[in-house]
Amino acid sequence: MSAVVTDHEHDHEHHDHKPSGIKRWLYTTNHKDIGTMYLVFALIMFFIGGAMAMVIRAELFQPGMQFVEPNFFNQMTTVHGLIMVFGAVMPAFTGLANWMIPMMIGAPDMALPRMNNWSFWILPFAFLILLMSLFMPGGGPSFGWTFYAPLSTTYSSDSTALFVFSVHIMGISSIMGAINVIVTIFNLRAPGMTWMKMPLFVWTWLITAFLLIMVMPVLAGVVTMVLTDKYFGTSFFDAAGGGDPVLFQHIFWFFGHPEVYIMILPAFGIVSAIVPTFARKPLFGYASMVYATSSIALLSFLVWAHHMFTTGMPVAGALFFMYCTMLIAVPTGVKVFNWVATMWRGAMTFEVPMMFALAFIVLFTIGGFSGLMLAITPADFQYHDTYFVVAHFHYVLVTGAVFSIIAAAYYWLPKWTGHMYDEKLGQWHFWCSLISVNLLFFPMHFVGLAGMPRRIPDYALQFADFNAFISIGGFLFGASQLIFVWVLVKCARGGEKATAQVWEGAEGLEWQVPSPAPYHTFDTPPVIK
Amino acid sequence: MTKTRSLRWSLPALLLAATANATDMPLNMTKGVTEISQQVYDLHMTIFWICCAIGAVVFGAMFWSILRHRKARGVQPAQFHESTKVEILWTAIPVVILILMAIPATKTLIAMEDTTEADVTVLVTGSQWKWHYKYLNTDVEFYSLLATPKEQINNRFAKGENYLLEVDRPLVIPTGKKVRFLMTSDDVIHSWWVPAFAVKKDANPGFINEAWTRVEEPGIYRGQCAELCGKDHAFMPVVVIAKTPADYEQWLNGEAERIAKAKAEEQELLAMNMSMDELMSVGERTYIAYCAACHQPNGEGLAGIFPALKGSSMALNDMAGHIDIVLNGKAGTSMQAYAKQLSLKEIAAVITYERNAWGNNTGELVQAADVHAVLQGKGE
């Protein structure tokens, strides 16, 4: 793919008018401002959710109850999950989409800028409601982020209504964000930017946006059913009224499984941008990457019940979901093989974005392996609801999704700020994170296999030593992220001036506009050859 | 306990100690004690080694590339970016591996789901936060509660060897026989799990699930509730004792006798009046075991979830309502029905206790006969 910007000198400063101060951010319809707000919001949420993880790890440092009550512990695990999924990972990807998609396809902005403003600005309120519910009598949601009925209906505290409304708002925000991405990609591609020339980040986000539009309404439906079961006397999930608690799980996971891919497909796009840049070699198997992403997205609708093998389903059902789940390993494998083939016989350098991308490939693959193990239904009976599962999804979400977001931040920071970040500090951030994250999550495989259930505030003595390790890893990983904040602040304030191309091997439209990217880019579409 | 003591050491010492203790620490899935659990373990190890092999190849190629194909070595990057042959190959090979893996997994799964021709059937009912076992076709049924004292959980006493994995009345099953479990729940979803049997099945309210096991070796096997079921999810363990069929029969007869005797005593008790002191001491014991998890030892409950009994109008004024709610529970809330969980004496004592403890000084006594009267009234 080769692209040339013919006339970006049209980006004059004269139409660069915007209100100053807080009004700039409240009223903005600029994709770069909104992207920045999403990213900053995600970072704040990452630290709030992280603080909750620290509470969890402090309580689990030793057997016995030390710091919090079991009910509060359950609120911490629940809200930690909700915040990290809906408040940190998803908004971070949306922020990256806002910043990068228009620049990557040669569009002047997102297609629906006012909706873009709204879809961001309702988010802080959603999380304010969720966080405030923690201070209600009886506490916030304590039924796990999966809010299984009837624990979340008949047996939940009064804050459940607030939980439901905050999830509704998050869903509305995500759906609007997704619509915006789809409309932008369909309508605002520069002349010559054909489908198979689009960068993979654009492709993966397009597919993610379709997943969002398909499953967020399902989530909205299921939380509404929880609401009416709890407050308005319906019995969707209550056998006494003709309902079925397992129905809840079917609906939830029909949303929940595609949701998992919503949180990883954009990561695939990021890694597919970074690896070729630092290997100085074109991405291997571009077309197969597109097809693999699409097939992962399609398969994601056929595997939801693999979260439910122990609920008691017919053998034929269990076999179907086992086979489909195993099949997902094939396109996922193709992606990993393609990245390795991209590196093969390249000329690699190892700046921070590349380091995080390489760590992503190895550690996400480890999470993929444990996912494959979980697919084997008879073995899943032993793994299910243990720390083995906790290890699995933290490998795919922390060393997967979060590492990719950090990699993306380092990769595009010079484009956003016009300054190079501090490479030395960044390397410190990387190595501290890499070591601590493995100390944190790897031993969870062992305690899980040895039989420690998840979501418990206290545990039997044979798990004590490993839990102490895990907690220390957790505290170190939390502390390591402070280095990241330091790097970000330092880079925003100043630093070595970045060139337009920034990275020697970087290709694509975003590298052809100056750094920092002007407030408005591509008012006149570039011509792509 | 070296393990608990080691936690007070500094970090380096802790790491050392843990490494030294590595042999005591379980690192892997249990092989268990049944044919099925052995098969499950074998499946687990097979897929584990497959993953290791794939990992070795992929990461090997990646690290080779990182070491050799770096710019610092002055290499020129190649420009190839596709190869249909290679791409088809690395799609096809995983498919073949997965098919080979699916075959034994399917066989084991079908065997696990075959609950026919059971010798013994036990109905397992979960409720917040205890298990109830009923041996079908006998009169034997009982609740199984966590036996670890609160003082160990609150770190006031040293923790025992089976901390959080011990119960007052374990489930007893015969060795060499196919035991079928029927799982259900009285409130939220629980999940009955014994790793040594590779049995984990959700107990869903209003529905019945099935599982089975055949244990060859007598022994004590421990597990836990695996599905988040509320505040005390961590505190509802499963303990199963497998006994030889002869010992099992003896135990079952003993249990039937014990239960019959308790029922007879209950009848005698109706004619007797217990003293305040006796009611209060039995009442306190019962309260701590059954009520304190929600209503708290100080009777103040947890604001917004579990109502306070201290100073509540029901505990101070409405005795009939009080007896009714303890016997029959309250629909749509976590308040369980205790009529079948506790004896008349215990119910009378606990209500007396609740009406006279923490400054609820009503001075009122509730006798077993009073409870019985309400229960009978309900039945007519």
Side-chain angles (χ1 to χ4, degrees), chain A residues 61-66 70-71 74 137-138 142-144 148-151 154-155 157-158 239 243-246 249 279-285 288 310-313 315 318-319 322-323 326-327 329-330 334 336-338 340-341 343-350 358 361-362 365-366 369 372-373 376-386 446 449-451 453-462 464-466 468-469 472 504, chain B residues 1 3-4 6-7 11 14-15 18 21 25-30 40 43-44 47-48 51 54-55 58-59 61-66 69-72 75-83 87 90-91 94-95 98 101-102 105-106 108-110 112-113 128 153-155 159-161 163-165 186-189 193 195 198 200-202 204-207 209 224-235 303-305 332-334:
Chain A
F61 184 66
Q62 289 184 25
M65 299 304 299
Q66 284 88 17
N71 194 48
N74 288 345
S142 61
F143 29 68
Y148 279 12
L151 191 59
T154 314
Y155 298 88
S157 66
D158 282 335
D244 181 351
V246 178
Q249 296 178 35
R280 292 165 182 77
K281 187 164 158 278
L283 182 69
F284 187 88
S288 70
T310 64
T311 56
M313 67 178 82
V315 183
L319 289 174
M322 172 168 81
Y323 299 150
M326 291 170 84
L327 212 53
V330 177
V334 165
V336 176
F337 301 145
N338 281 346
V340 175
M343 286 178 237
W344 192 256
R345 291 183 47 216
M348 277 191 274
T349 52
F350 302 93
L358 293 175
I361 295 171
V362 174
T365 304
I366 290 175
F369 285 148
L372 185 56
M373 294 170 79
I376 310 296
T377 312
D380 177 78
F381 290 144
Q382 292 284 47
Y383 307 137
H384 180 70
D385 264 331
T386 69
F446 301 133
L449 290 175
R454 61 190 285 210
R455 294 170 164 168
I456 55 172
D458 195 6
Y459 48 82
L461 299 179
Q462 69 263 33
D465 292 339
F466 272 132
F469 276 126
I472 291 165
E504 187 189 29
Chain B
M1 280 308 301
K3 277 178 182 162
T4 39
S6 72
L7 292 168
L11 170 59
L14 175 81
L15 293 174
N21 282 344
M25 286 196 293
L27 287 165
N28 199 359
M29 183 190 286
T30 175
V40 168
L43 280 175
H44 158 67
I47 188 75
F48 171 73
C51 289
I54 299 172
V58 175
F59 299 150
M62 183 172 156
F63 284 108
W64 177 264
S65 199
I66 288 173
H69 309 144
R70 43 170 69 216
K71 197 187 173 201
V75 293
Q76 280 303 312
Q79 287 303 315
F80 67 86
H81 56 85
E82 56 188 356
S83 159
E87 288 172 63
W90 70 33
T91 310
V95 171
L98 290 174
M101 189 62 220
T106 305
T108 303
L109 184 65
I110 289 170
M112 288 174 104
E113 297 290 322
Q128 287 180 325
I153 296 168
N154 295 332
N155 309 307
K159 294 180 183 10
E161 187 191 354
Y163 177 69
L164 297 187
L165 296 178
D186 281 340
D187 41 44
V188 300
I189 299 172
W193 180 29
K200 182 187 285 153
K201 204 59 130 178
D202 290 1
N204 297 321
F207 292 85
N209 268 336
Q224 283 181 268
C225 176
E227 179 63 55
L228 177 63
C229 56
K231 184 171 80 71
D232 284 352
H233 165 52
F235 307 104
I305 352 177
T333 72
S334 315

Side-chain angles (χ1 to χ4, degrees), chain A residues 2-7 190-193 509 512 522 524-529:
Chain A
S2 71
V4 176
V5 179
T6 50
D7 51 358
M193 178 60 80
L509 290 178
Q512 297 176 10
F522 300 124
T524 314
V527 175
I528 291 117
K529 284 181 195 160

Side-chain angles (χ1 to χ4, degrees), chain A residues 36-369:
Chain A
T36 304
M37 289 196 294
Y38 265 113
L39 288 167
V40 171
F41 178 77
L43 189 67
I44 294 168
M45 284 295 137
F46 180 59
F47 277 94
I48 295 176
M52 292 174 182
M54 298 297 105
V55 174
I56 294 167
R57 285 322 316 176
E59 181 54 56
L60 291 174
F61 184 66
Q62 289 184 25
M65 299 304 299
Q66 284 88 17
F67 302 105
V68 295
E69 288 301 313
N71 194 48
F72 187 71
F73 182 90
N74 288 345
Q75 292 171 45
M76 288 292 102
T77 54
T78 305
V79 183
H80 163 75
L82 289 167
I83 286 196
M84 289 308 202
V85 169
F86 295 104
V89 173
M90 289 170 68
F93 280 135
T94 313
L96 293 170
N98 260 291
W99 250 104
M100 303 319 300
I101 288 176
M103 289 212 284
M104 285 177 158
I105 61 172
D109 203 308
M110 295 295 279
L112 307 162
R114 285 167 201 273
M115 191 167 87
N116 205 10
N117 171 293
W118 198 39
S119 66
F120 171 76
W121 273 114
I122 59 176
L123 260 194
F125 296 95
F127 285 91
L128 215 58
I129 291 173
L130 182 65
L131 287 170
M132 283 194 316
S133 77
L134 287 170
F135 299 97
M136 279 182 70
S142 61
F143 29 68
W145 85 277
T146 51
F147 60 105
Y148 279 12
L151 191 59
S152 61
T153 55
T154 314
Y155 298 88
S156 64
S157 66
D158 282 335
S159 61
T160 306
L162 293 184
F163 157 79
V164 169
F165 292 137
S166 74
V167 171
H168 273 147
I169 302 173
M170 294 168 203
I172 292 169
S173 164
S174 293
I175 291 171
M176 290 194 297
I179 291 173
N180 220 338
V181 167
I182 293 173
V183 177
T184 306
I185 296 173
F186 269 73
N187 293 302
L188 298 187
R189 277 171 293 131
M193 178 60 80
T194 56
W195 290 110
M196 294 310 270
K197 275 185 186 168
M198 290 198 315
L200 261 171
F201 181 70
V202 180
W203 256 117
T204 53
W205 237 112
L206 179 66
I207 292 165
T208 302
F210 274 107
L211 288 182
L212 277 167
I213 284 185
M214 283 191 265
V215 302
M216 291 315 272
V218 179
L219 175 68
V222 78
V223 287
T224 309
M225 288 156 97
V226 163
L227 187 80
T228 61
D229 260 20
K230 184 166 173 62
Y231 297 101
F232 302 111
T234 58
S235 301
F236 292 113
F237 311 129
D238 182 1
D244 181 351
V246 178
L247 172 68
F248 172 89
Q249 296 178 35
H250 282 290
I251 307 175
F252 177 82
W253 286 113
F254 188 80
F255 145 79
H257 201 80
E259 167 69 17
V260 176
Y261 294 107
I262 287 167
M263 291 189 285
I264 204 65
L265 295 186
F268 293 161
I270 291 165
V271 173
S272 303
I274 293 175
V275 171
T277 296
F278 295 95
R280 292 165 182 77
K281 187 164 158 278
L283 182 69
F284 187 88
Y286 171 86
S288 70
M289 283 294 210
V290 173
Y291 302 139
T293 311
S294 312
S295 28
I296 291 173
L298 286 178
L299 280 171
S300 78
F301 286 101
L302 297 176
V303 298
W304 78 88
H306 70 210
H307 299 269
M308 303 166 53
F309 284 138
T310 64
T311 56
M313 67 178 82
V315 183
L319 289 174
F320 172 80
F321 286 108
M322 172 168 81
Y323 299 150
C324 285
T325 306
M326 291 170 84
L327 212 53
I328 287 193
V330 177
T332 315
V334 165
K335 288 186 160 289
V336 176
F337 301 145
N338 281 346
W339 291 321
V340 175
T342 306
M343 286 178 237
W344 192 256
R345 291 183 47 216
M348 277 191 274
T349 52
F350 302 93
E351 289 86 345
V352 183
M354 183 62 161
M355 294 308 276
F356 274 102
L358 293 175
F360 170 96
I361 295 171
V362 174
L363 300 175
F364 170 78
T365 304
I366 290 175
F369 285 148

Side-chain angles (χ1 to χ4, degrees), chain B residues 205-270:
Chain B
F207 292 85
I208 292 178
N209 268 336
E210 288 181 284
W212 68 275
T213 191
R214 187 195 299 273
V215 182
E216 298 302 336
E217 281 302 301
I220 304 178
Y221 305 106
R222 295 171 200 278
Q224 283 181 268
C225 176
E227 179 63 55
L228 177 63
C229 56
K231 184 171 80 71
D232 284 352
H233 165 52
F235 307 104
M236 55 180 292
V238 174
V239 179
V240 183
I241 300 182
K243 293 188 182 206
T244 59
D247 287 352
Y248 168 76
E249 282 303 324
Q250 200 186 350
W251 170 86
L252 196 67
N253 292 335
E255 274 302 290
E257 232 168 76
R258 180 184 67 80
I259 289 165
K261 215 168 131 196
K263 275 186 182 156
E265 267 175 19
E266 189 108 284
Q267 288 305 313
E268 282 169 31
L269 216 100
L270 292 178

